[in-house]
Amino acid sequence: MDTSSLSQSNLDLSKLSDYDKRDLQQQIGNEMQKVKLQESIHNLTDICWNKCITGGISNGKLSGKEESCTTNCVERFLEANMAVLKHLEQMRGEM
C-alpha cells in the first residue's frame, strides 16, 4: 500500500476538533516556513559559491579574496531579504 492511500484511509480531517484543525494548520505552516528557509539557504549557497569561489579548494581553505567575497555576498543577500520582508510588512499594513 502506498503512503497516499494509507494517509487517506487513516486521516479524516472532518473528525478533527476546531482546535486540532488550527494546530494542524500551524504545524503545516511551520513546516512550509522551514522549507522556504532551506530553499533560501541553498539559493544563497549557490549564488555565493558561483560568484566567489573561482579556483579549486585544494588545501581545505578559501583564499583571502574568496573569503572576503563570500562574507560580502552573504551580507548583501541577508540585507536584500530583510529589505523585501520590511517592504512586504509595510504593504500588509496598508491593506
Side-chain angles (χ1 to χ4, degrees):
M1 180 187 297
D2 65 69
T3 56
S4 64
S5 62
L6 176 64
S7 64
Q8 288 174 353
S9 65
N10 291 336
L11 292 178
D12 185 359
L13 299 179
S14 65
K15 293 182 180 180
L16 292 176
S17 69
D18 287 342
Y19 174 81
D20 289 337
K21 287 178 185 176
R22 285 190 302 272
D23 186 51
L24 180 59
Q25 287 176 334
Q26 181 66 41
Q27 288 179 23
I28 290 170
N30 291 345
E31 290 302 315
M32 290 174 65
Q33 287 178 345
K34 287 180 190 177
V35 168
K36 288 180 183 179
L37 178 60
Q38 288 173 339
E39 288 174 351
S40 184
I41 291 169
H42 288 297
N43 188 30
L44 168 65
T45 301
D46 287 342
I47 289 170
C48 293
W49 181 272
N50 292 333
K51 179 179 180 176
C52 298
I53 311 304
T54 57
I57 302 176
S58 56
N59 63 356
K61 294 183 179 182
L62 300 175
S63 71
K65 182 179 176 184
E66 291 170 332
E67 187 173 342
S68 175
C69 178
T70 303
T71 299
N72 288 332
C73 182
V74 170
E75 288 175 358
R76 298 300 83 77
F77 186 90
L78 293 174
E79 287 172 1
N81 278 313
M82 290 303 295
V84 168
L85 288 174
K86 285 181 182 179
H87 180 71
L88 291 174
E89 286 176 7
Q90 288 174 348
M91 288 176 56
R92 187 178 298 160
E94 293 173 2
M95 292 182 159

PDB file of all heavy atoms in Angstrom, residues 6-38:
ATOM      1  N   LEU A   6      -2.577   5.136   2.276  1.00  0.00           N
ATOM      2  CA  LEU A   6      -2.518   4.897   3.718  1.00  0.00           C
ATOM      3  C   LEU A   6      -2.972   6.141   4.473  1.00  0.00           C
ATOM      4  O   LEU A   6      -3.794   6.068   5.375  1.00  0.00           O
ATOM      5  CB  LEU A   6      -1.096   4.521   4.144  1.00  0.00           C
ATOM      6  CG  LEU A   6      -0.849   4.328   5.631  1.00  0.00           C
ATOM      7  CD1 LEU A   6      -1.664   3.153   6.146  1.00  0.00           C
ATOM      8  CD2 LEU A   6       0.613   4.117   5.900  1.00  0.00           C
ATOM      9  N   SER A   7      -2.453   7.308   4.062  1.00  0.00           N
ATOM     10  CA  SER A   7      -2.820   8.531   4.775  1.00  0.00           C
ATOM     11  C   SER A   7      -4.279   8.877   4.553  1.00  0.00           C
ATOM     12  O   SER A   7      -4.947   9.381   5.445  1.00  0.00           O
ATOM     13  CB  SER A   7      -1.915   9.686   4.369  1.00  0.00           C
ATOM     14  OG  SER A   7      -2.094   9.990   3.010  1.00  0.00           O
ATOM     15  N   GLN A   8      -4.799   8.629   3.367  1.00  0.00           N
ATOM     16  CA  GLN A   8      -6.204   8.918   3.104  1.00  0.00           C
ATOM     17  C   GLN A   8      -7.117   8.021   3.929  1.00  0.00           C
ATOM     18  O   GLN A   8      -8.156   8.459   4.394  1.00  0.00           O
ATOM     19  CB  GLN A   8      -6.507   8.761   1.621  1.00  0.00           C
ATOM     20  CG  GLN A   8      -5.913   9.858   0.776  1.00  0.00           C
ATOM     21  CD  GLN A   8      -6.108   9.603  -0.714  1.00  0.00           C
ATOM     22  OE1 GLN A   8      -6.564   8.551  -1.116  1.00  0.00           O
ATOM     23  NE2 GLN A   8      -5.744  10.585  -1.514  1.00  0.00           N
ATOM     24  N   SER A   9      -6.719   6.761   4.107  1.00  0.00           N
ATOM     25  CA  SER A   9      -7.583   5.856   4.853  1.00  0.00           C
ATOM     26  C   SER A   9      -7.503   6.110   6.356  1.00  0.00           C
ATOM     27  O   SER A   9      -8.442   5.813   7.080  1.00  0.00           O
ATOM     28  CB  SER A   9      -7.213   4.401   4.551  1.00  0.00           C
ATOM     29  OG  SER A   9      -5.907   4.116   5.009  1.00  0.00           O
ATOM     30  N   ASN A  10      -6.385   6.665   6.839  1.00  0.00           N
ATOM     31  CA  ASN A  10      -6.207   6.883   8.270  1.00  0.00           C
ATOM     32  C   ASN A  10      -6.573   8.289   8.727  1.00  0.00           C
ATOM     33  O   ASN A  10      -6.727   8.521   9.907  1.00  0.00           O
ATOM     34  CB  ASN A  10      -4.767   6.599   8.685  1.00  0.00           C
ATOM     35  CG  ASN A  10      -4.428   5.126   8.606  1.00  0.00           C
ATOM     36  OD1 ASN A  10      -5.307   4.277   8.682  1.00  0.00           O
ATOM     37  ND2 ASN A  10      -3.163   4.828   8.429  1.00  0.00           N
ATOM     38  N   LEU A  11      -6.682   9.234   7.797  1.00  0.00           N
ATOM     39  CA  LEU A  11      -6.948  10.614   8.177  1.00  0.00           C
ATOM     40  C   LEU A  11      -8.292  11.067   7.646  1.00  0.00           C
ATOM     41  O   LEU A  11      -8.521  11.097   6.452  1.00  0.00           O
ATOM     42  CB  LEU A  11      -5.860  11.547   7.636  1.00  0.00           C
ATOM     43  CG  LEU A  11      -4.476  11.411   8.232  1.00  0.00           C
ATOM     44  CD1 LEU A  11      -3.525  12.367   7.552  1.00  0.00           C
ATOM     45  CD2 LEU A  11      -4.507  11.693   9.719  1.00  0.00           C
ATOM     46  N   ASP A  12      -9.170  11.405   8.547  1.00  0.00           N
ATOM     47  CA  ASP A  12     -10.438  12.029   8.178  1.00  0.00           C
ATOM     48  C   ASP A  12     -10.457  13.366   8.894  1.00  0.00           C
ATOM     49  O   ASP A  12     -10.812  13.458  10.067  1.00  0.00           O
ATOM     50  CB  ASP A  12     -11.613  11.143   8.592  1.00  0.00           C
ATOM     51  CG  ASP A  12     -12.936  11.716   8.119  1.00  0.00           C
ATOM     52  OD1 ASP A  12     -12.931  12.795   7.491  1.00  0.00           O
ATOM     53  OD2 ASP A  12     -13.967  11.073   8.386  1.00  0.00           O
ATOM     54  N   LEU A  13     -10.007  14.405   8.174  1.00  0.00           N
ATOM     55  CA  LEU A  13      -9.845  15.718   8.786  1.00  0.00           C
ATOM     56  C   LEU A  13     -11.157  16.296   9.297  1.00  0.00           C
ATOM     57  O   LEU A  13     -11.153  17.140  10.192  1.00  0.00           O
ATOM     58  CB  LEU A  13      -9.182  16.678   7.798  1.00  0.00           C
ATOM     59  CG  LEU A  13      -7.780  16.273   7.326  1.00  0.00           C
ATOM     60  CD1 LEU A  13      -7.243  17.297   6.341  1.00  0.00           C
ATOM     61  CD2 LEU A  13      -6.836  16.101   8.494  1.00  0.00           C
ATOM     62  N   SER A  14     -12.258  15.843   8.768  1.00  0.00           N
ATOM     63  CA  SER A  14     -13.540  16.360   9.234  1.00  0.00           C
ATOM     64  C   SER A  14     -13.834  15.932  10.672  1.00  0.00           C
ATOM     65  O   SER A  14     -14.662  16.538  11.341  1.00  0.00           O
ATOM     66  CB  SER A  14     -14.674  15.889   8.317  1.00  0.00           C
ATOM     67  OG  SER A  14     -14.827  14.479   8.388  1.00  0.00           O
ATOM     68  N   LYS A  15     -13.138  14.927  11.152  1.00  0.00           N
ATOM     69  CA  LYS A  15     -13.355  14.451  12.518  1.00  0.00           C
ATOM     70  C   LYS A  15     -12.511  15.204  13.547  1.00  0.00           C
ATOM     71  O   LYS A  15     -12.668  14.991  14.744  1.00  0.00           O
ATOM     72  CB  LYS A  15     -13.063  12.951  12.613  1.00  0.00           C
ATOM     73  CG  LYS A  15     -14.050  12.099  11.844  1.00  0.00           C
ATOM     74  CD  LYS A  15     -13.750  10.637  12.005  1.00  0.00           C
ATOM     75  CE  LYS A  15     -14.749   9.796  11.218  1.00  0.00           C
ATOM     76  NZ  LYS A  15     -14.478   8.365  11.349  1.00  0.00           N
ATOM     77  N   LEU A  16     -11.622  16.076  13.065  1.00  0.00           N
ATOM     78  CA  LEU A  16     -10.783  16.843  13.987  1.00  0.00           C
ATOM     79  C   LEU A  16     -11.583  17.965  14.625  1.00  0.00           C
ATOM     80  O   LEU A  16     -12.467  18.554  13.999  1.00  0.00           O
ATOM     81  CB  LEU A  16      -9.591  17.448  13.252  1.00  0.00           C
ATOM     82  CG  LEU A  16      -8.528  16.490  12.735  1.00  0.00           C
ATOM     83  CD1 LEU A  16      -7.473  17.265  11.949  1.00  0.00           C
ATOM     84  CD2 LEU A  16      -7.886  15.715  13.858  1.00  0.00           C
ATOM     85  N   SER A  17     -11.255  18.265  15.861  1.00  0.00           N
ATOM     86  CA  SER A  17     -11.877  19.417  16.524  1.00  0.00           C
ATOM     87  C   SER A  17     -11.332  20.701  15.898  1.00  0.00           C
ATOM     88  O   SER A  17     -10.308  20.684  15.214  1.00  0.00           O
ATOM     89  CB  SER A  17     -11.562  19.395  18.020  1.00  0.00           C
ATOM     90  OG  SER A  17     -10.179  19.660  18.226  1.00  0.00           O
ATOM     91  N   ASP A  18     -12.002  21.809  16.136  1.00  0.00           N
ATOM     92  CA  ASP A  18     -11.518  23.089  15.618  1.00  0.00           C
ATOM     93  C   ASP A  18     -10.121  23.392  16.132  1.00  0.00           C
ATOM     94  O   ASP A  18      -9.261  23.883  15.398  1.00  0.00           O
ATOM     95  CB  ASP A  18     -12.472  24.220  15.999  1.00  0.00           C
ATOM     96  CG  ASP A  18     -13.770  24.169  15.201  1.00  0.00           C
ATOM     97  OD1 ASP A  18     -13.793  23.498  14.148  1.00  0.00           O
ATOM     98  OD2 ASP A  18     -14.747  24.806  15.635  1.00  0.00           O
ATOM     99  N   TYR A  19      -9.876  23.076  17.396  1.00  0.00           N
ATOM    100  CA  TYR A  19      -8.552  23.296  17.980  1.00  0.00           C
ATOM    101  C   TYR A  19      -7.501  22.469  17.241  1.00  0.00           C
ATOM    102  O   TYR A  19      -6.433  22.972  16.890  1.00  0.00           O
ATOM    103  CB  TYR A  19      -8.554  22.931  19.464  1.00  0.00           C
ATOM    104  CG  TYR A  19      -7.178  23.002  20.090  1.00  0.00           C
ATOM    105  CD1 TYR A  19      -6.648  24.216  20.502  1.00  0.00           C
ATOM    106  CD2 TYR A  19      -6.403  21.854  20.240  1.00  0.00           C
ATOM    107  CE1 TYR A  19      -5.383  24.300  21.048  1.00  0.00           C
ATOM    108  CE2 TYR A  19      -5.137  21.922  20.786  1.00  0.00           C
ATOM    109  CZ  TYR A  19      -4.630  23.144  21.197  1.00  0.00           C
ATOM    110  OH  TYR A  19      -3.373  23.214  21.726  1.00  0.00           O
ATOM    111  N   ASP A  20      -7.802  21.190  16.990  1.00  0.00           N
ATOM    112  CA  ASP A  20      -6.857  20.320  16.299  1.00  0.00           C
ATOM    113  C   ASP A  20      -6.630  20.764  14.858  1.00  0.00           C
ATOM    114  O   ASP A  20      -5.517  20.673  14.342  1.00  0.00           O
ATOM    115  CB  ASP A  20      -7.336  18.866  16.334  1.00  0.00           C
ATOM    116  CG  ASP A  20      -7.222  18.250  17.720  1.00  0.00           C
ATOM    117  OD1 ASP A  20      -6.405  18.745  18.527  1.00  0.00           O
ATOM    118  OD2 ASP A  20      -7.942  17.263  17.997  1.00  0.00           O
ATOM    119  N   LYS A  21      -7.667  21.269  14.216  1.00  0.00           N
ATOM    120  CA  LYS A  21      -7.516  21.776  12.847  1.00  0.00           C
ATOM    121  C   LYS A  21      -6.583  22.981  12.826  1.00  0.00           C
ATOM    122  O   LYS A  21      -5.709  23.082  11.966  1.00  0.00           O
ATOM    123  CB  LYS A  21      -8.880  22.150  12.260  1.00  0.00           C
ATOM    124  CG  LYS A  21      -9.725  20.958  11.893  1.00  0.00           C
ATOM    125  CD  LYS A  21     -11.084  21.404  11.365  1.00  0.00           C
ATOM    126  CE  LYS A  21     -11.988  20.209  11.115  1.00  0.00           C
ATOM    127  NZ  LYS A  21     -13.336  20.626  10.689  1.00  0.00           N
ATOM    128  N   ARG A  22      -6.767  23.899  13.783  1.00  0.00           N
ATOM    129  CA  ARG A  22      -5.879  25.072  13.866  1.00  0.00           C
ATOM    130  C   ARG A  22      -4.451  24.644  14.168  1.00  0.00           C
ATOM    131  O   ARG A  22      -3.493  25.173  13.599  1.00  0.00           O
ATOM    132  CB  ARG A  22      -6.382  26.057  14.918  1.00  0.00           C
ATOM    133  CG  ARG A  22      -7.587  26.861  14.480  1.00  0.00           C
ATOM    134  CD  ARG A  22      -7.901  27.995  15.445  1.00  0.00           C
ATOM    135  NE  ARG A  22      -8.150  27.530  16.809  1.00  0.00           N
ATOM    136  CZ  ARG A  22      -9.335  27.159  17.270  1.00  0.00           C
ATOM    137  NH1 ARG A  22     -10.390  27.208  16.489  1.00  0.00           N
ATOM    138  NH2 ARG A  22      -9.481  26.748  18.511  1.00  0.00           N
ATOM    139  N   ASP A  23      -4.313  23.675  15.078  1.00  0.00           N
ATOM    140  CA  ASP A  23      -2.990  23.175  15.426  1.00  0.00           C
ATOM    141  C   ASP A  23      -2.317  22.542  14.215  1.00  0.00           C
ATOM    142  O   ASP A  23      -1.133  22.777  13.952  1.00  0.00           O
ATOM    143  CB  ASP A  23      -3.095  22.166  16.574  1.00  0.00           C
ATOM    144  CG  ASP A  23      -1.736  21.721  17.086  1.00  0.00           C
ATOM    145  OD1 ASP A  23      -0.892  22.609  17.385  1.00  0.00           O
ATOM    146  OD2 ASP A  23      -1.512  20.499  17.177  1.00  0.00           O
ATOM    147  N   LEU A  24      -3.058  21.755  13.456  1.00  0.00           N
ATOM    148  CA  LEU A  24      -2.520  21.124  12.252  1.00  0.00           C
ATOM    149  C   LEU A  24      -2.123  22.180  11.225  1.00  0.00           C
ATOM    150  O   LEU A  24      -1.049  22.090  10.618  1.00  0.00           O
ATOM    151  CB  LEU A  24      -3.542  20.155  11.665  1.00  0.00           C
ATOM    152  CG  LEU A  24      -3.121  19.415  10.403  1.00  0.00           C
ATOM    153  CD1 LEU A  24      -1.855  18.595  10.646  1.00  0.00           C
ATOM    154  CD2 LEU A  24      -4.255  18.515   9.906  1.00  0.00           C
ATOM    155  N   GLN A  25      -2.958  23.198  11.060  1.00  0.00           N
ATOM    156  CA  GLN A  25      -2.629  24.276  10.132  1.00  0.00           C
ATOM    157  C   GLN A  25      -1.351  24.999  10.567  1.00  0.00           C
ATOM    158  O   GLN A  25      -0.512  25.341   9.736  1.00  0.00           O
ATOM    159  CB  GLN A  25      -3.783  25.271  10.033  1.00  0.00           C
ATOM    160  CG  GLN A  25      -4.969  24.742   9.269  1.00  0.00           C
ATOM    161  CD  GLN A  25      -6.130  25.721   9.263  1.00  0.00           C
ATOM    162  OE1 GLN A  25      -6.268  26.559  10.165  1.00  0.00           O
ATOM    163  NE2 GLN A  25      -6.986  25.613   8.261  1.00  0.00           N
ATOM    164  N   GLN A  26      -1.199  25.201  11.861  1.00  0.00           N
ATOM    165  CA  GLN A  26       0.004  25.851  12.379  1.00  0.00           C
ATOM    166  C   GLN A  26       1.236  24.994  12.113  1.00  0.00           C
ATOM    167  O   GLN A  26       2.278  25.495  11.691  1.00  0.00           O
ATOM    168  CB  GLN A  26      -0.137  26.116  13.883  1.00  0.00           C
ATOM    169  CG  GLN A  26       1.061  26.812  14.495  1.00  0.00           C
ATOM    170  CD  GLN A  26       1.256  28.215  13.978  1.00  0.00           C
ATOM    171  OE1 GLN A  26       0.309  28.958  13.812  1.00  0.00           O
ATOM    172  NE2 GLN A  26       2.488  28.587  13.698  1.00  0.00           N
ATOM    173  N   GLN A  27       1.128  23.705  12.333  1.00  0.00           N
ATOM    174  CA  GLN A  27       2.249  22.796  12.094  1.00  0.00           C
ATOM    175  C   GLN A  27       2.622  22.775  10.613  1.00  0.00           C
ATOM    176  O   GLN A  27       3.807  22.795  10.267  1.00  0.00           O
ATOM    177  CB  GLN A  27       1.917  21.385  12.577  1.00  0.00           C
ATOM    178  CG  GLN A  27       1.886  21.264  14.081  1.00  0.00           C
ATOM    179  CD  GLN A  27       1.536  19.850  14.540  1.00  0.00           C
ATOM    180  OE1 GLN A  27       1.719  18.899  13.813  1.00  0.00           O
ATOM    181  NE2 GLN A  27       1.029  19.745  15.759  1.00  0.00           N
ATOM    182  N   ILE A  28       1.628  22.744   9.754  1.00  0.00           N
ATOM    183  CA  ILE A  28       1.885  22.765   8.311  1.00  0.00           C
ATOM    184  C   ILE A  28       2.557  24.083   7.926  1.00  0.00           C
ATOM    185  O   ILE A  28       3.517  24.102   7.156  1.00  0.00           O
ATOM    186  CB  ILE A  28       0.584  22.541   7.522  1.00  0.00           C
ATOM    187  CG1 ILE A  28       0.110  21.092   7.710  1.00  0.00           C
ATOM    188  CG2 ILE A  28       0.784  22.851   6.037  1.00  0.00           C
ATOM    189  CD1 ILE A  28      -1.280  20.824   7.178  1.00  0.00           C
ATOM    190  N   GLY A  29       2.058  25.184   8.473  1.00  0.00           N
ATOM    191  CA  GLY A  29       2.679  26.487   8.212  1.00  0.00           C
ATOM    192  C   GLY A  29       4.123  26.530   8.664  1.00  0.00           C
ATOM    193  O   GLY A  29       4.992  27.054   7.958  1.00  0.00           O
ATOM    194  N   ASN A  30       4.403  25.964   9.833  1.00  0.00           N
ATOM    195  CA  ASN A  30       5.780  25.918  10.340  1.00  0.00           C
ATOM    196  C   ASN A  30       6.681  25.108   9.416  1.00  0.00           C
ATOM    197  O   ASN A  30       7.815  25.504   9.136  1.00  0.00           O
ATOM    198  CB  ASN A  30       5.821  25.325  11.749  1.00  0.00           C
ATOM    199  CG  ASN A  30       5.201  26.230  12.784  1.00  0.00           C
ATOM    200  OD1 ASN A  30       4.973  27.406  12.556  1.00  0.00           O
ATOM    201  ND2 ASN A  30       4.890  25.667  13.943  1.00  0.00           N
ATOM    202  N   GLU A  31       6.180  23.975   8.954  1.00  0.00           N
ATOM    203  CA  GLU A  31       6.969  23.136   8.046  1.00  0.00           C
ATOM    204  C   GLU A  31       7.215  23.854   6.719  1.00  0.00           C
ATOM    205  O   GLU A  31       8.307  23.762   6.156  1.00  0.00           O
ATOM    206  CB  GLU A  31       6.279  21.789   7.810  1.00  0.00           C
ATOM    207  CG  GLU A  31       6.296  20.875   9.019  1.00  0.00           C
ATOM    208  CD  GLU A  31       7.696  20.556   9.529  1.00  0.00           C
ATOM    209  OE1 GLU A  31       8.590  20.251   8.712  1.00  0.00           O
ATOM    210  OE2 GLU A  31       7.893  20.628  10.760  1.00  0.00           O
ATOM    211  N   MET A  32       6.226  24.579   6.249  1.00  0.00           N
ATOM    212  CA  MET A  32       6.397  25.325   4.998  1.00  0.00           C
ATOM    213  C   MET A  32       7.448  26.420   5.163  1.00  0.00           C
ATOM    214  O   MET A  32       8.239  26.673   4.254  1.00  0.00           O
ATOM    215  CB  MET A  32       5.061  25.899   4.542  1.00  0.00           C
ATOM    216  CG  MET A  32       4.094  24.828   4.066  1.00  0.00           C
ATOM    217  SD  MET A  32       2.445  25.442   3.668  1.00  0.00           S
ATOM    218  CE  MET A  32       2.781  26.506   2.293  1.00  0.00           C
ATOM    219  N   GLN A  33       7.467  27.066   6.338  1.00  0.00           N
ATOM    220  CA  GLN A  33       8.490  28.077   6.600  1.00  0.00           C
ATOM    221  C   GLN A  33       9.877  27.447   6.632  1.00  0.00           C
ATOM    222  O   GLN A  33      10.840  28.033   6.140  1.00  0.00           O
ATOM    223  CB  GLN A  33       8.202  28.796   7.912  1.00  0.00           C
ATOM    224  CG  GLN A  33       7.036  29.744   7.829  1.00  0.00           C
ATOM    225  CD  GLN A  33       6.730  30.408   9.156  1.00  0.00           C
ATOM    226  OE1 GLN A  33       7.184  29.988  10.210  1.00  0.00           O
ATOM    227  NE2 GLN A  33       5.928  31.462   9.099  1.00  0.00           N
ATOM    228  N   LYS A  34       9.985  26.260   7.209  1.00  0.00           N
ATOM    229  CA  LYS A  34      11.276  25.559   7.234  1.00  0.00           C
ATOM    230  C   LYS A  34      11.753  25.265   5.817  1.00  0.00           C
ATOM    231  O   LYS A  34      12.926  25.445   5.499  1.00  0.00           O
ATOM    232  CB  LYS A  34      11.172  24.255   8.019  1.00  0.00           C
ATOM    233  CG  LYS A  34      11.065  24.420   9.505  1.00  0.00           C
ATOM    234  CD  LYS A  34      10.961  23.051  10.168  1.00  0.00           C
ATOM    235  CE  LYS A  34      10.603  23.133  11.623  1.00  0.00           C
ATOM    236  NZ  LYS A  34      10.450  21.804  12.229  1.00  0.00           N
ATOM    237  N   VAL A  35      10.838  24.816   4.975  1.00  0.00           N
ATOM    238  CA  VAL A  35      11.184  24.512   3.591  1.00  0.00           C
ATOM    239  C   VAL A  35      11.657  25.775   2.879  1.00  0.00           C
ATOM    240  O   VAL A  35      12.668  25.755   2.169  1.00  0.00           O
ATOM    241  CB  VAL A  35       9.987  23.866   2.851  1.00  0.00           C
ATOM    242  CG1 VAL A  35      10.215  23.820   1.351  1.00  0.00           C
ATOM    243  CG2 VAL A  35       9.724  22.469   3.395  1.00  0.00           C
ATOM    244  N   LYS A  36      10.942  26.878   3.075  1.00  0.00           N
ATOM    245  CA  LYS A  36      11.340  28.139   2.441  1.00  0.00           C
ATOM    246  C   LYS A  36      12.714  28.588   2.920  1.00  0.00           C
ATOM    247  O   LYS A  36      13.527  29.078   2.138  1.00  0.00           O
ATOM    248  CB  LYS A  36      10.300  29.227   2.706  1.00  0.00           C
ATOM    249  CG  LYS A  36       9.026  29.026   1.928  1.00  0.00           C
ATOM    250  CD  LYS A  36       8.028  30.128   2.237  1.00  0.00           C
ATOM    251  CE  LYS A  36       6.724  29.890   1.505  1.00  0.00           C
ATOM    252  NZ  LYS A  36       5.729  30.932   1.798  1.00  0.00           N
ATOM    253  N   LEU A  37      12.980  28.426   4.202  1.00  0.00           N
ATOM    254  CA  LEU A  37      14.280  28.794   4.746  1.00  0.00           C
ATOM    255  C   LEU A  37      15.381  27.926   4.141  1.00  0.00           C
ATOM    256  O   LEU A  37      16.433  28.433   3.741  1.00  0.00           O
ATOM    257  CB  LEU A  37      14.287  28.665   6.270  1.00  0.00           C
ATOM    258  CG  LEU A  37      15.604  28.981   6.965  1.00  0.00           C
ATOM    259  CD1 LEU A  37      16.042  30.420   6.693  1.00  0.00           C
ATOM    260  CD2 LEU A  37      15.485  28.726   8.457  1.00  0.00           C
ATOM    261  N   GLN A  38      15.139  26.635   4.042  1.00  0.00           N
ATOM    262  CA  GLN A  38      16.122  25.736   3.448  1.00  0.00           C
ATOM    263  C   GLN A  38      16.369  26.094   1.977  1.00  0.00           C
ATOM    264  O   GLN A  38      17.514  26.100   1.517  1.00  0.00           O
ATOM    265  CB  GLN A  38      15.668  24.285   3.561  1.00  0.00           C
ATOM    266  CG  GLN A  38      15.748  23.748   4.970  1.00  0.00           C
ATOM    267  CD  GLN A  38      15.134  22.363   5.109  1.00  0.00           C
ATOM    268  OE1 GLN A  38      14.327  21.932   4.300  1.00  0.00           O
ATOM    269  NE2 GLN A  38      15.529  21.667   6.160  1.00  0.00           N
TER     270      GLN A  38
END
